[in-house]
Amino acid sequence: MPQNPEKIQDHVELFHQPEYQQLFENKKQFENGHEAEEVQRVAEWTKGWDYREKNFAREALTVNPAKGCQPLGAIFAAVGFEGTLPFVQGSQGCVAYFRTHLTRHYKEPFSGVSSSMTEDAAVFGGLQNMIDGLANSYQLYKPKMIAVCTTCMAEVIGDDLQAFINNSKQAGSVPQDFPVPYAHTPSFVGSHITGYDNMMKGILSNLTAGHKKETSNGKINFIPGFDTYVGNNREIKRIASLFGFDYTILADNSDYLDSPNTGEFDMYPGGTKLEDAADSINAKATIALQAHSTPKTREYIEKEWHQPTSVSRPWGIKGTDEFLMKLSELSGIPIPEQLEIERGQAVDAMTDSHSWIHGKRFAIYGEPDLVYSVVGFMLEMGAEPVHILVHNSNEVFEAEIKELLASSPFGQHATVWPGKDLWHMRSLLFTEPVDFLVGNTYGKYLWRDTKIPLVRIGYPIMDRHHLHRYATIGYQGVINLLNWTVNTLFEEIDRNTNIPSKTDISYDLIR
């Protein structure tokens, strides 16, 4: 029968059709599930303190981790450089996951290849896969650089990337002078921010080799870290242009992850020029915009480049103030008047909305730098953190977040939960409820269970469109963070006051 494309239904409506509902009912006879009453009883039990104690006692099981694995961060770092193709030494399934995860967040095609390792490579090693894979990638996709990282399989069998790349070049897979930086990124340790750091160090050490000069080029380097808001790189470039100094972003993936639709496919849009990255060794200083996704890279720059580094997180008023003063100090240029005006606008916006956020209790989860930065902004608004969960935490982060909390009267009652996952967060929200939750898309399941409104900040955000295009740093970022937070609270107020003649006493037109 001919199909009518106008009658194609989205899955939101499709699976409510009678034939699908009957299919679901038929499945139950084969699933041997419990009766609905028993499911409901257990569900209610999981909301209490007794279950919370059992939940927090588990050690060998992770349920819904609040982190990604190393290669995800590695390929994210790689595409910030001009003409760079990420190459994963591992199976096709692994790289498909990484690409899909990023594509679903950005709604953009994310290119990356694998060496297609299978069972035979697991036994005999992946050298031949590397030789063939680099040759095919170089010939088919015409990159200017191929950045190689590993998956669990390659790490377990002990593939030596440096030796494999050298052997591949000797076999003629790519020219001898073609840049093939690499990073070992085992998924069973660390997280996506570790992989970002490993790859950034690998790329910079490869590109800058032999490029050290006697004099500085006078530039300032910026390392964004695992920052998934493309508006932030653009905000850094705008701020630097207002100051008027030269800079290099290591690396700028904003155009790659937010490319224009011109009708022609460009596999490598934008990115930091390779020659600029090579010359970054001669900059006067490097500023990392995240601490916990850059420790190895910063240590390398200080020891090998003999270049000073610092960390500035320009989130919120205080963070942005400190960042701009650092730029003024390094450049010798006063803070531009335009930025002073924008500061006043941000403070005015905070004044308009503070009464709706002040005193509100919130929970948050995410990677260390994001959590630190958002908590700092919320404290400026007078919000009170209760549960702070960072799955990929470390001792340095725990010390600095506790120092931040101690610096504000609104941070005195917060508890930091390092190494915990989102099933732990579920217990926390049921036993000690809060007014709102801050996190990525995976928090929507917590919202469904607990009815606590979710402010979507972080990575990945796959169920809402275009949030990644905004800036979260600088004074413009203050307004965006404020907008997402206060309007989420307003939506919740409207939801709870929208029944005519019952709850609509405060269903107000004006907030």
Side-chain angles (χ1 to χ4, degrees):
M1 293 181 62
Q3 300 294 315
N4 184 349
E6 294 183 359
K7 292 186 177 181
I8 294 176
Q9 291 182 314
D10 184 83
H11 65 279
V12 174
E13 294 86 19
L14 179 65
F15 294 117
H16 288 282
Q17 300 303 308
E19 58 268 32
Y20 284 101
Q21 290 297 307
Q22 186 61 52
L23 177 65
F24 297 149
E25 285 298 317
N26 293 342
K27 283 179 59 183
K28 292 181 180 179
Q29 62 183 300
F30 301 104
E31 293 173 343
N32 297 316
H34 292 283
E35 295 297 327
E37 293 77 10
E38 177 64 7
V39 172
Q40 183 62 32
R41 185 191 68 80
V42 174
E44 289 301 316
W45 172 65
T46 64
K47 300 176 183 179
W49 282 91
D50 179 51
Y51 180 79
R52 170 171 163 170
E53 292 177 4
K54 296 181 183 299
N55 189 11
F56 275 75
R58 61 183 162 93
E59 297 178 357
L61 174 68
T62 295
V63 183
N64 204 356
K67 63 176 182 177
C69 58
Q70 283 207 49
L72 178 72
I75 67 173
F76 180 82
V79 299
F81 293 92
E82 171 194 24
T84 298
L85 179 66
F87 182 106
V88 181
Q89 177 73 347
S91 69
Q92 290 182 346
C94 287
V95 74
Y97 156 67
F98 309 138
R99 291 173 55 188
T100 301
H101 211 258
L102 289 158
T103 295
R104 286 173 173 172
H105 175 82
Y106 289 105
K107 317 302 181 192
E108 293 280 345
F110 193 101
S111 300
V113 298
S114 81
S115 57
S116 300
M117 292 174 66
T118 53
E119 291 85 350
D120 57 342
V123 176
F124 301 108
L127 174 57
Q128 192 59 48
N129 296 72
M130 175 75 75
I131 292 173
D132 295 340
L134 287 180
N136 291 336
S137 300
Y138 181 73
Q139 293 296 328
L140 288 172
Y141 303 119
K142 312 298 184 201
K144 293 185 177 182
M145 181 169 73
I146 298 175
V148 179
C149 64
T150 54
T151 62
C152 295
M153 180 193 296
E155 289 295 324
V156 169
I157 64 178
D159 281 358
D160 184 337
L161 291 186
Q162 180 64 74
F164 281 18
I165 292 169
N166 290 340
N167 288 335
S168 298
K169 287 188 173 183
Q170 291 174 8
S173 297
V174 296
Q176 285 289 339
D177 60 350
F178 185 81
V180 187
Y182 68 91
H184 284 276
T185 52
S187 297
F188 44 79
V189 295
S191 69
H192 56 290
I193 62 174
T194 318
Y196 178 96
D197 193 19
N198 287 335
M199 181 56 81
M200 187 60 63
K201 177 186 174 184
I203 291 175
L204 293 181
S205 60
N206 180 287
L207 293 179
T208 60
H211 288 273
K212 183 68 174 176
K213 298 178 180 178
E214 294 296 326
T215 58
S216 169
N217 60 23
K219 294 183 178 181
I220 298 173
N221 296 328
F222 297 103
I223 304 179
F226 191 87
D227 184 340
T228 55
Y229 289 90
V230 296
N232 284 346
N233 281 356
R234 292 167 180 165
E235 182 66 5
I236 289 297
K237 289 185 279 190
R238 187 184 74 90
I239 289 173
S241 67
L242 288 173
F243 271 94
F245 58 73
D246 290 332
Y247 62 93
T248 302
I249 296 180
L250 301 168
D252 184 5
N253 54 23
S254 56
D255 290 337
Y256 185 95
L257 299 170
D258 185 24
S259 58
N261 189 340
T262 62
E264 296 183 5
F265 176 67
D266 181 359
M267 193 167 182
Y268 310 108
T272 300
K273 299 289 186 184
L274 299 187
E275 55 266 32
D276 290 339
D279 194 38
S280 64
I281 192 174
N282 299 306
K284 65 167 66 174
T286 293
I287 298 177
L289 303 182
Q290 292 185 354
H292 301 284
S293 62
T294 60
K296 294 179 183 177
T297 303
R298 286 182 284 118
E299 181 183 27
Y300 164 76
I301 290 173
E302 290 175 357
K303 289 186 176 180
E304 301 298 326
W305 296 5
H306 305 292
Q307 187 179 118
T309 71
S310 60
V311 175
S312 289
R313 300 182 183 98
W315 293 58
I317 297 296
K318 182 174 184 291
T320 302
D321 288 351
E322 292 174 348
F323 175 64
L324 296 182
M325 288 187 286
K326 183 67 175 179
L327 295 184
S328 181
E329 173 192 335
L330 289 173
S331 66
I333 301 171
I335 296 174
E337 182 182 4
Q338 174 60 33
L339 295 175
E340 294 182 356
I341 293 172
E342 292 176 14
R343 185 186 193 278
Q345 292 169 335
V347 171
D348 181 63
M350 294 170 71
T351 303
D352 293 340
S353 303
H354 85 278
S355 61
W356 294 99
I357 298 178
H358 181 89
K360 291 291 190 296
R361 291 157 45 87
F362 73 96
I364 185 172
Y365 66 90
E367 54 257 9
D369 287 288
L370 178 91
V371 166
Y372 181 92
S373 300
V374 174
V375 169
F377 163 74
M378 292 295 180
L379 291 175
E380 290 181 340
M381 292 299 301
E384 300 178 8
V386 178
H387 309 300
I388 299 174
L389 188 148
V390 178
H391 200 157
N392 48 347
S393 183
N394 57 65
E395 292 181 356
V396 176
F397 166 75
E398 290 161 33
E400 67 177 1
I401 192 68
K402 288 176 181 177
E403 182 180 357
L404 175 63
L405 294 169
S407 69
S408 169
F410 307 112
Q412 303 305 306
H413 302 294
T415 301
V416 180
W417 300 98
K420 302 303 182 184
D421 57 43
L422 294 187
W423 195 249
H424 291 113
M425 177 62 87
R426 181 179 181 273
S427 284
L428 294 171
L429 295 179
F430 270 124
T431 53
E432 297 179 84
V434 294
D435 296 304
F436 65 96
L437 170 67
V438 180
N440 59 28
T441 281
Y442 294 109
K444 74 183 298 179
Y445 296 105
L446 297 171
W447 165 78
R448 181 179 63 183
D449 277 2
T450 66
K451 304 298 185 282
I452 294 173
L454 171 65
V455 181
R456 286 168 172 81
I457 299 175
Y459 171 88
I461 296 176
M462 300 183 287
D463 65 329
R464 297 292 186 271
H465 288 201
H466 309 301
L467 293 180
H468 67 272
R469 301 179 191 274
Y470 291 85
T472 58
I473 65 172
Y475 302 125
Q476 298 291 332
V478 168
I479 295 176
N480 290 331
L481 293 170
L482 179 62
N483 175 19
W484 299 333
T485 303
V486 74
N487 286 323
T488 297
L489 295 178
F490 287 156
E491 289 288 347
E492 186 65 9
I493 292 172
D494 286 348
R495 255 195 301 272
N496 292 327
T497 60
N498 66 356
I499 302 176
S501 301
K502 290 186 178 181
T503 65
D504 66 343
I505 297 170
S506 297
Y507 191 69
D508 293 339
L509 188 63
I510 300 172
R511 298 291 184 193

PDB file of all heavy atoms in Angstrom, residues 191-215:
ATOM      1  N   SER A 191      37.728   9.856  33.704  1.00  0.00           N
ATOM      2  CA  SER A 191      36.444  10.185  33.080  1.00  0.00           C
ATOM      3  C   SER A 191      36.708  11.014  31.835  1.00  0.00           C
ATOM      4  O   SER A 191      37.850  11.152  31.390  1.00  0.00           O
ATOM      5  CB  SER A 191      35.557  10.963  34.063  1.00  0.00           C
ATOM      6  OG  SER A 191      36.089  12.262  34.304  1.00  0.00           O
ATOM      7  N   HIS A 192      35.659  11.591  31.286  1.00  0.00           N
ATOM      8  CA  HIS A 192      35.795  12.376  30.066  1.00  0.00           C
ATOM      9  C   HIS A 192      36.716  13.579  30.245  1.00  0.00           C
ATOM     10  O   HIS A 192      37.404  13.974  29.297  1.00  0.00           O
ATOM     11  CB  HIS A 192      34.421  12.832  29.568  1.00  0.00           C
ATOM     12  CG  HIS A 192      33.636  13.606  30.561  1.00  0.00           C
ATOM     13  ND1 HIS A 192      33.098  13.057  31.697  1.00  0.00           N
ATOM     14  CD2 HIS A 192      33.280  14.919  30.599  1.00  0.00           C
ATOM     15  CE1 HIS A 192      32.446  13.974  32.378  1.00  0.00           C
ATOM     16  NE2 HIS A 192      32.546  15.119  31.742  1.00  0.00           N
ATOM     17  N   ILE A 193      36.760  14.156  31.435  1.00  0.00           N
ATOM     18  CA  ILE A 193      37.655  15.303  31.632  1.00  0.00           C
ATOM     19  C   ILE A 193      39.116  14.854  31.675  1.00  0.00           C
ATOM     20  O   ILE A 193      40.007  15.602  31.272  1.00  0.00           O
ATOM     21  CB  ILE A 193      37.276  16.115  32.881  1.00  0.00           C
ATOM     22  CG1 ILE A 193      37.391  15.307  34.173  1.00  0.00           C
ATOM     23  CG2 ILE A 193      35.875  16.689  32.744  1.00  0.00           C
ATOM     24  CD1 ILE A 193      37.157  16.114  35.437  1.00  0.00           C
ATOM     25  N   THR A 194      39.381  13.636  32.139  1.00  0.00           N
ATOM     26  CA  THR A 194      40.738  13.095  32.088  1.00  0.00           C
ATOM     27  C   THR A 194      41.169  12.897  30.646  1.00  0.00           C
ATOM     28  O   THR A 194      42.310  13.193  30.267  1.00  0.00           O
ATOM     29  CB  THR A 194      40.805  11.743  32.830  1.00  0.00           C
ATOM     30  OG1 THR A 194      40.064  11.808  34.040  1.00  0.00           O
ATOM     31  CG2 THR A 194      42.242  11.351  33.123  1.00  0.00           C
ATOM     32  N   GLY A 195      40.260  12.362  29.834  1.00  0.00           N
ATOM     33  CA  GLY A 195      40.572  12.156  28.425  1.00  0.00           C
ATOM     34  C   GLY A 195      40.836  13.463  27.700  1.00  0.00           C
ATOM     35  O   GLY A 195      41.728  13.542  26.845  1.00  0.00           O
ATOM     36  N   TYR A 196      40.071  14.496  28.031  1.00  0.00           N
ATOM     37  CA  TYR A 196      40.314  15.820  27.442  1.00  0.00           C
ATOM     38  C   TYR A 196      41.728  16.279  27.764  1.00  0.00           C
ATOM     39  O   TYR A 196      42.474  16.732  26.884  1.00  0.00           O
ATOM     40  CB  TYR A 196      39.290  16.816  27.977  1.00  0.00           C
ATOM     41  CG  TYR A 196      39.480  18.227  27.464  1.00  0.00           C
ATOM     42  CD1 TYR A 196      38.759  18.685  26.373  1.00  0.00           C
ATOM     43  CD2 TYR A 196      40.391  19.099  28.062  1.00  0.00           C
ATOM     44  CE1 TYR A 196      38.929  19.971  25.886  1.00  0.00           C
ATOM     45  CE2 TYR A 196      40.574  20.376  27.584  1.00  0.00           C
ATOM     46  CZ  TYR A 196      39.844  20.815  26.501  1.00  0.00           C
ATOM     47  OH  TYR A 196      40.043  22.099  26.024  1.00  0.00           O
ATOM     48  N   ASP A 197      42.098  16.167  29.014  1.00  0.00           N
ATOM     49  CA  ASP A 197      43.418  16.610  29.464  1.00  0.00           C
ATOM     50  C   ASP A 197      44.531  15.830  28.764  1.00  0.00           C
ATOM     51  O   ASP A 197      45.515  16.406  28.279  1.00  0.00           O
ATOM     52  CB  ASP A 197      43.508  16.437  30.982  1.00  0.00           C
ATOM     53  CG  ASP A 197      44.690  17.153  31.601  1.00  0.00           C
ATOM     54  OD1 ASP A 197      45.254  18.073  30.973  1.00  0.00           O
ATOM     55  OD2 ASP A 197      45.054  16.802  32.738  1.00  0.00           O
ATOM     56  N   ASN A 198      44.383  14.514  28.709  1.00  0.00           N
ATOM     57  CA  ASN A 198      45.403  13.683  28.070  1.00  0.00           C
ATOM     58  C   ASN A 198      45.576  14.033  26.599  1.00  0.00           C
ATOM     59  O   ASN A 198      46.701  14.115  26.089  1.00  0.00           O
ATOM     60  CB  ASN A 198      45.030  12.201  28.209  1.00  0.00           C
ATOM     61  CG  ASN A 198      45.213  11.680  29.622  1.00  0.00           C
ATOM     62  OD1 ASN A 198      46.006  12.208  30.394  1.00  0.00           O
ATOM     63  ND2 ASN A 198      44.469  10.647  29.978  1.00  0.00           N
ATOM     64  N   MET A 199      44.466  14.236  25.894  1.00  0.00           N
ATOM     65  CA  MET A 199      44.566  14.563  24.473  1.00  0.00           C
ATOM     66  C   MET A 199      45.115  15.963  24.249  1.00  0.00           C
ATOM     67  O   MET A 199      45.918  16.187  23.338  1.00  0.00           O
ATOM     68  CB  MET A 199      43.195  14.414  23.806  1.00  0.00           C
ATOM     69  CG  MET A 199      43.219  14.728  22.304  1.00  0.00           C
ATOM     70  SD  MET A 199      44.416  13.717  21.381  1.00  0.00           S
ATOM     71  CE  MET A 199      43.463  12.208  21.169  1.00  0.00           C
ATOM     72  N   MET A 200      44.693  16.926  25.069  1.00  0.00           N
ATOM     73  CA  MET A 200      45.206  18.285  24.899  1.00  0.00           C
ATOM     74  C   MET A 200      46.712  18.317  25.092  1.00  0.00           C
ATOM     75  O   MET A 200      47.446  18.941  24.307  1.00  0.00           O
ATOM     76  CB  MET A 200      44.519  19.226  25.891  1.00  0.00           C
ATOM     77  CG  MET A 200      44.861  20.699  25.693  1.00  0.00           C
ATOM     78  SD  MET A 200      44.422  21.350  24.067  1.00  0.00           S
ATOM     79  CE  MET A 200      42.640  21.161  24.090  1.00  0.00           C
ATOM     80  N   LYS A 201      47.193  17.635  26.112  1.00  0.00           N
ATOM     81  CA  LYS A 201      48.638  17.562  26.330  1.00  0.00           C
ATOM     82  C   LYS A 201      49.323  16.883  25.152  1.00  0.00           C
ATOM     83  O   LYS A 201      50.385  17.336  24.678  1.00  0.00           O
ATOM     84  CB  LYS A 201      48.936  16.801  27.622  1.00  0.00           C
ATOM     85  CG  LYS A 201      50.419  16.607  27.882  1.00  0.00           C
ATOM     86  CD  LYS A 201      50.667  15.713  29.090  1.00  0.00           C
ATOM     87  CE  LYS A 201      52.161  15.421  29.247  1.00  0.00           C
ATOM     88  NZ  LYS A 201      52.430  14.479  30.368  1.00  0.00           N
ATOM     89  N   GLY A 202      48.733  15.793  24.656  1.00  0.00           N
ATOM     90  CA  GLY A 202      49.329  15.079  23.535  1.00  0.00           C
ATOM     91  C   GLY A 202      49.417  15.921  22.280  1.00  0.00           C
ATOM     92  O   GLY A 202      50.437  15.917  21.579  1.00  0.00           O
ATOM     93  N   ILE A 203      48.359  16.649  21.972  1.00  0.00           N
ATOM     94  CA  ILE A 203      48.353  17.486  20.767  1.00  0.00           C
ATOM     95  C   ILE A 203      49.350  18.633  20.888  1.00  0.00           C
ATOM     96  O   ILE A 203      50.119  18.919  19.963  1.00  0.00           O
ATOM     97  CB  ILE A 203      46.934  18.021  20.500  1.00  0.00           C
ATOM     98  CG1 ILE A 203      46.012  16.876  20.069  1.00  0.00           C
ATOM     99  CG2 ILE A 203      46.958  19.120  19.448  1.00  0.00           C
ATOM    100  CD1 ILE A 203      44.557  17.283  19.908  1.00  0.00           C
ATOM    101  N   LEU A 204      49.352  19.310  22.031  1.00  0.00           N
ATOM    102  CA  LEU A 204      50.253  20.452  22.195  1.00  0.00           C
ATOM    103  C   LEU A 204      51.716  20.027  22.187  1.00  0.00           C
ATOM    104  O   LEU A 204      52.569  20.715  21.612  1.00  0.00           O
ATOM    105  CB  LEU A 204      49.913  21.205  23.488  1.00  0.00           C
ATOM    106  CG  LEU A 204      48.555  21.914  23.514  1.00  0.00           C
ATOM    107  CD1 LEU A 204      48.356  22.629  24.833  1.00  0.00           C
ATOM    108  CD2 LEU A 204      48.425  22.890  22.343  1.00  0.00           C
ATOM    109  N   SER A 205      52.025  18.903  22.808  1.00  0.00           N
ATOM    110  CA  SER A 205      53.413  18.443  22.816  1.00  0.00           C
ATOM    111  C   SER A 205      53.862  18.061  21.414  1.00  0.00           C
ATOM    112  O   SER A 205      55.026  18.250  21.047  1.00  0.00           O
ATOM    113  CB  SER A 205      53.583  17.260  23.775  1.00  0.00           C
ATOM    114  OG  SER A 205      52.756  16.173  23.396  1.00  0.00           O
ATOM    115  N   ASN A 206      52.961  17.556  20.602  1.00  0.00           N
ATOM    116  CA  ASN A 206      53.300  17.186  19.223  1.00  0.00           C
ATOM    117  C   ASN A 206      53.491  18.421  18.354  1.00  0.00           C
ATOM    118  O   ASN A 206      54.499  18.548  17.640  1.00  0.00           O
ATOM    119  CB  ASN A 206      52.193  16.293  18.658  1.00  0.00           C
ATOM    120  CG  ASN A 206      52.447  15.845  17.223  1.00  0.00           C
ATOM    121  OD1 ASN A 206      52.334  16.638  16.285  1.00  0.00           O
ATOM    122  ND2 ASN A 206      52.757  14.569  17.053  1.00  0.00           N
ATOM    123  N   LEU A 207      52.545  19.346  18.397  1.00  0.00           N
ATOM    124  CA  LEU A 207      52.567  20.492  17.494  1.00  0.00           C
ATOM    125  C   LEU A 207      53.658  21.506  17.835  1.00  0.00           C
ATOM    126  O   LEU A 207      54.187  22.177  16.942  1.00  0.00           O
ATOM    127  CB  LEU A 207      51.211  21.186  17.484  1.00  0.00           C
ATOM    128  CG  LEU A 207      50.040  20.410  16.886  1.00  0.00           C
ATOM    129  CD1 LEU A 207      48.760  21.228  16.982  1.00  0.00           C
ATOM    130  CD2 LEU A 207      50.310  20.027  15.434  1.00  0.00           C
ATOM    131  N   THR A 208      53.989  21.634  19.112  1.00  0.00           N
ATOM    132  CA  THR A 208      54.942  22.685  19.511  1.00  0.00           C
ATOM    133  C   THR A 208      56.393  22.217  19.514  1.00  0.00           C
ATOM    134  O   THR A 208      57.290  23.043  19.729  1.00  0.00           O
ATOM    135  CB  THR A 208      54.597  23.197  20.922  1.00  0.00           C
ATOM    136  OG1 THR A 208      54.679  22.119  21.865  1.00  0.00           O
ATOM    137  CG2 THR A 208      53.195  23.790  20.957  1.00  0.00           C
ATOM    138  N   ALA A 209      56.611  20.946  19.278  1.00  0.00           N
ATOM    139  CA  ALA A 209      57.989  20.430  19.319  1.00  0.00           C
ATOM    140  C   ALA A 209      58.870  21.173  18.315  1.00  0.00           C
ATOM    141  O   ALA A 209      58.558  21.269  17.129  1.00  0.00           O
ATOM    142  CB  ALA A 209      57.982  18.940  19.016  1.00  0.00           C
ATOM    143  N   GLY A 210      59.968  21.752  18.801  1.00  0.00           N
ATOM    144  CA  GLY A 210      60.918  22.460  17.951  1.00  0.00           C
ATOM    145  C   GLY A 210      60.530  23.877  17.602  1.00  0.00           C
ATOM    146  O   GLY A 210      61.204  24.515  16.782  1.00  0.00           O
ATOM    147  N   HIS A 211      59.478  24.415  18.216  1.00  0.00           N
ATOM    148  CA  HIS A 211      58.997  25.756  17.869  1.00  0.00           C
ATOM    149  C   HIS A 211      59.281  26.807  18.942  1.00  0.00           C
ATOM    150  O   HIS A 211      58.836  27.950  18.820  1.00  0.00           O
ATOM    151  CB  HIS A 211      57.491  25.721  17.581  1.00  0.00           C
ATOM    152  CG  HIS A 211      57.136  25.061  16.289  1.00  0.00           C
ATOM    153  ND1 HIS A 211      57.094  25.733  15.084  1.00  0.00           N
ATOM    154  CD2 HIS A 211      56.815  23.766  16.006  1.00  0.00           C
ATOM    155  CE1 HIS A 211      56.756  24.892  14.118  1.00  0.00           C
ATOM    156  NE2 HIS A 211      56.576  23.689  14.651  1.00  0.00           N
ATOM    157  N   LYS A 212      60.020  26.456  19.961  1.00  0.00           N
ATOM    158  CA  LYS A 212      60.338  27.419  21.012  1.00  0.00           C
ATOM    159  C   LYS A 212      61.301  28.477  20.493  1.00  0.00           C
ATOM    160  O   LYS A 212      62.313  28.177  19.866  1.00  0.00           O
ATOM    161  CB  LYS A 212      60.950  26.702  22.216  1.00  0.00           C
ATOM    162  CG  LYS A 212      61.255  27.606  23.397  1.00  0.00           C
ATOM    163  CD  LYS A 212      59.991  28.150  24.057  1.00  0.00           C
ATOM    164  CE  LYS A 212      60.286  28.936  25.327  1.00  0.00           C
ATOM    165  NZ  LYS A 212      59.075  29.534  25.916  1.00  0.00           N
ATOM    166  N   LYS A 213      60.974  29.758  20.768  1.00  0.00           N
ATOM    167  CA  LYS A 213      61.804  30.881  20.343  1.00  0.00           C
ATOM    168  C   LYS A 213      62.370  31.615  21.548  1.00  0.00           C
ATOM    169  O   LYS A 213      61.935  31.410  22.676  1.00  0.00           O
ATOM    170  CB  LYS A 213      60.982  31.836  19.471  1.00  0.00           C
ATOM    171  CG  LYS A 213      60.459  31.218  18.180  1.00  0.00           C
ATOM    172  CD  LYS A 213      59.612  32.206  17.390  1.00  0.00           C
ATOM    173  CE  LYS A 213      59.081  31.581  16.106  1.00  0.00           C
ATOM    174  NZ  LYS A 213      58.207  32.520  15.349  1.00  0.00           N
ATOM    175  N   GLU A 214      63.309  32.494  21.290  1.00  0.00           N
ATOM    176  CA  GLU A 214      63.951  33.241  22.367  1.00  0.00           C
ATOM    177  C   GLU A 214      63.039  34.324  22.932  1.00  0.00           C
ATOM    178  O   GLU A 214      63.152  34.686  24.101  1.00  0.00           O
ATOM    179  CB  GLU A 214      65.247  33.887  21.847  1.00  0.00           C
ATOM    180  CG  GLU A 214      66.336  32.898  21.456  1.00  0.00           C
ATOM    181  CD  GLU A 214      66.834  32.102  22.646  1.00  0.00           C
ATOM    182  OE1 GLU A 214      66.875  32.652  23.765  1.00  0.00           O
ATOM    183  OE2 GLU A 214      67.172  30.917  22.472  1.00  0.00           O
ATOM    184  N   THR A 215      62.129  34.819  22.094  1.00  0.00           N
ATOM    185  CA  THR A 215      61.265  35.913  22.532  1.00  0.00           C
ATOM    186  C   THR A 215      59.794  35.482  22.487  1.00  0.00           C
ATOM    187  O   THR A 215      59.414  34.598  21.718  1.00  0.00           O
ATOM    188  CB  THR A 215      61.445  37.159  21.640  1.00  0.00           C
ATOM    189  OG1 THR A 215      61.168  36.809  20.274  1.00  0.00           O
ATOM    190  CG2 THR A 215      62.871  37.678  21.742  1.00  0.00           C
TER     191      THR A 215
END
